[in-house]
Amino acid sequence: MINSLYKNRTAIYFGTGMEDAGLTELARLGARHVLLHYGQGSVARSGLLDRVMAGLTARQIAVTELGGVQPNPTLPRVREGVALCRARGIDTLLAVGGGSVIDSAKAIAAGAAFDGDVLDLIEGRVRPAAALPLGVILTVPGAGSESSPAAVISDPARSLKLDFAAECLVPALAVLNPENTRGVGLFQSRCGILDAITHVCERYFTQTDYVEVSDRLCEGLIQSLIHYGRAVDGRLDDYGVRAEIMWACKLAHDDVAGVGRKQDWSSHVIANALGGHVDQPHGALTVIVMLGWMKRAAETSPARFVQFGQRIFGLASPTAAEAIAAFEHYIAGIGMPVRLSGLGVDLAPATLDAVVDVCARKNPSGTIGNFVRLGPNDVRTILETAR
């Protein structure tokens, strides 16, 4: 194991009807004027938005609304939120939705506490030192952003997805009520599950020795997520299934399974770079990229893939290629695409060149990843394999 710092300061309110307790905590933290940040309509149709508004009003908390957040939240919407916070004296943010809503709220919270342009924070020219307090009411499984210090914001003018992180971005509280995920359809539910699996895999594939304890945590989470990726079909309204998925996704994104390990994250770097050019669900896009990454990484370091096949899929003595094939077979078996073409993505040469360039600029060395260091030609190969 390597030296690590594990800290998670988000108060998690898990279970049915826990919104009330979360709003009470928000008031206790000093919220007086909240920017209520939400998505494109499902929170209103479900009645959740009305319940949240009523709860804030009952606690004498003023509300300014900023709705309509799209998947892959954009820099213009963040700037709009920052301007609202400054103009109206907002002291707290409440994000009601999934990862896109939460990421956008994080960027707004940081920008509102900063004197300059929020883009300087997002691009890392200035490290975020403070942010307005943020509460979250999660409506999807697999978001991950509800208790993390990280956010991803799209700049459509430059076809870029920009990731940034700081401790001040961690939400103060998050309400995880599985009932709020019942409106999420089968495809999006499986996108969340696959996204969570990729987050665990970024930690699982490591060269660090003596990580058996966290190996078993990772393997248990992956197996549970694999099970519910199948079981959710026909049981979208089953509270027990929804609760299991939501908690497994929370633990998958929490770094408890990554303590003491050097993690990889190159699949996410590549997928985020590609996501700046194609508007596709993050989970579906990332798992396809990860399949391409696995095939490249196994050429250099096959042993961990053999363990992956044995412990996750119960294969007796698999090759690395057979273990990866078992994972690919599972993804296809639950009706999810295993190639970019299956998502309707045509990887044009100019797009491929742009993604390779973005990845090369992520690090002064021109390489990404830790399990296997990848140069521009490797990134190109992974994307070609993922076509």
Side-chain angles (χ1 to χ4, degrees), residues 71-74 152-162 268-282 285 289 340 343-359 361 379 383:
N72 302 312
T74 64
V152 179
I153 302 298
S154 295
D155 182 355
R158 296 182 291 166
S159 297
L160 291 176
K161 289 186 79 170
L162 306 166
H268 274 75
V269 170
I270 298 169
N272 283 342
L274 180 57
H277 297 269
V278 298
D279 188 16
Q280 294 293 337
H282 172 74
L285 191 66
V289 171
L340 294 173
L343 270 181
V345 174
D346 180 14
L347 196 60
T351 301
L352 179 58
D353 290 343
V355 172
V356 170
D357 181 63
V358 167
C359 293
R361 289 189 280 110
V379 173
L383 288 168

Side-chain angles (χ1 to χ4, degrees), residues 128 139 230-231 373 386:
T139 62
R230 297 188 181 105
R373 295 300 294 178

Side-chain angles (χ1 to χ4, degrees), residues 200-219:
V200 181
C201 286
E202 297 281 22
R203 297 172 168 97
Y204 186 72
F205 288 95
T206 183
Q207 302 289 359
T208 306
D209 294 326
Y210 295 100
V211 289
E212 182 68 15
V213 172
S214 51
D215 269 359
R216 295 298 186 176
L217 289 174
C218 290
E219 290 155 5

Side-chain angles (χ1 to χ4, degrees), residues 8-26:
N8 195 328
R9 64 180 179 85
T10 305
I12 302 295
Y13 293 84
F14 185 92
T16 182
M18 291 299 280
E19 294 85 0
D20 191 63
L23 293 178
T24 297
E25 175 66 6
L26 203 67

Side-chain angles (χ1 to χ4, degrees), residues 135-159:
V136 169
I137 298 177
L138 190 63
T139 62
V140 300
S145 191
E146 68 272 11
S147 61
S148 83
V152 179
I153 302 298
S154 295
D155 182 355
R158 296 182 291 166
S159 297

Side-chain angles (χ1 to χ4, degrees), residues 169-181:
L169 301 182
V170 177
L173 65 95
V175 176
L176 275 62
N177 179 354
E179 290 182 335
N180 292 331
T181 71

Side-chain angles (χ1 to χ4, degrees), residues 99-140:
S100 296
V101 174
I102 301 167
D103 282 7
S104 180
K106 286 178 176 179
I108 293 169
F114 178 57
D115 288 337
D117 183 359
V118 67
L119 185 59
D120 289 336
L121 303 177
I122 294 171
E123 291 199 312
R125 288 185 288 274
V126 180
R127 184 165 180 78
L132 299 184
L134 169 63
V136 169
I137 298 177
L138 190 63
T139 62
V140 300

